[in-house]
Amino acid sequence: MNLAELVAIDMHVHIEADSHGHTDMPDNFREAAQKHFGASHEPWTEDGMAAHYRERNMAAVIFSVDHESVTGHPPIPNRDIAAQAAQHPDVLTPFASIDPARGEEGIREARLLVEEHGVKGFKFHPNLQAFYPNNQAAYPLYEAIQELGVPAL
């Protein structure tokens, strides 16, 4: 990524679908979000997102949200997002999402994502993940992310 040539970096971009058509949220959630935000488009994949930002001489921090414990809808895998971003390093930076409810397994996954898959940070979505950011149960995951030296949104 050549930062000197970019006009902007979008720090908050949800990947809405993977290359197999699996979306980031249940259909009723998507419909409500589209109505709320006044948007109506087919879910973008990482390739579509990369093309969109490349055309605008911009870059993006991409992620999905792990809210399976609340909605029952499996997330787009963090490893897939990291792999797709690696195919577009000129415009895409991968962040990951781990539901704090995943406990020790989530902490192990966070370490692997940073150390072996090139993830550069983490995204939390407390209202979709049904937790309060100051809930001490989330602190061990926060501490692991801090030890890894990457940011969290």
Side-chain angles (χ1 to χ4, degrees), residues 68-121:
E68 185 173 13
S69 69
V70 175
T71 65
H73 188 84
I76 296 171
N78 291 310
R79 294 174 191 209
D80 291 356
I81 289 174
Q84 287 292 319
Q87 293 180 19
H88 304 283
D90 60 318
V91 293
L92 300 180
T93 299
F95 270 38
S97 176
I98 294 178
D99 186 339
R102 290 174 59 188
E104 286 297 321
E105 185 273 328
I107 292 168
R108 285 190 301 275
E109 182 67 7
R111 292 184 193 290
L112 256 147
L113 287 166
V114 171
E115 294 169 354
E116 297 182 17
H117 296 276
V119 165
K120 304 297 184 197

Side-chain angles (χ1 to χ4, degrees), residues 9-133:
I9 299 173
D10 189 338
M11 293 297 298
H12 191 130
V13 179
H14 290 257
I15 295 300
E16 300 171 338
D18 67 14
S19 58
H20 306 292
H22 175 69
T23 59
D24 64 333
M25 62 181 71
D27 290 340
N28 60 329
F29 278 50
R30 175 167 311 291
E31 291 164 8
Q34 287 178 339
K35 183 178 179 182
H36 176 77
F37 291 109
S40 59
H41 63 272
E42 290 301 311
W44 284 14
T45 64
E46 293 93 336
D47 290 337
M49 191 70 63
H52 175 83
Y53 282 93
R54 197 173 284 120
E55 288 170 6
R56 289 158 179 77
N57 203 31
M58 294 174 62
V61 172
I62 62 171
F63 51 82
S64 189
V65 176
D66 176 6
H67 50 74
E68 185 173 13
S69 69
V70 175
T71 65
H73 188 84
I76 296 171
N78 291 310
R79 294 174 191 209
D80 291 356
I81 289 174
Q84 287 292 319
Q87 293 180 19
H88 304 283
D90 60 318
V91 293
L92 300 180
T93 299
F95 270 38
S97 176
I98 294 178
D99 186 339
R102 290 174 59 188
E104 286 297 321
E105 185 273 328
I107 292 168
R108 285 190 301 275
E109 182 67 7
R111 292 184 193 290
L112 256 147
L113 287 166
V114 171
E115 294 169 354
E116 297 182 17
H117 296 276
V119 165
K120 304 297 184 197
F122 290 84
K123 162 65 174 156
F124 292 97
H125 206 309
N127 62 333
L128 275 177
Q129 294 171 318
F131 79 100
Y132 289 100

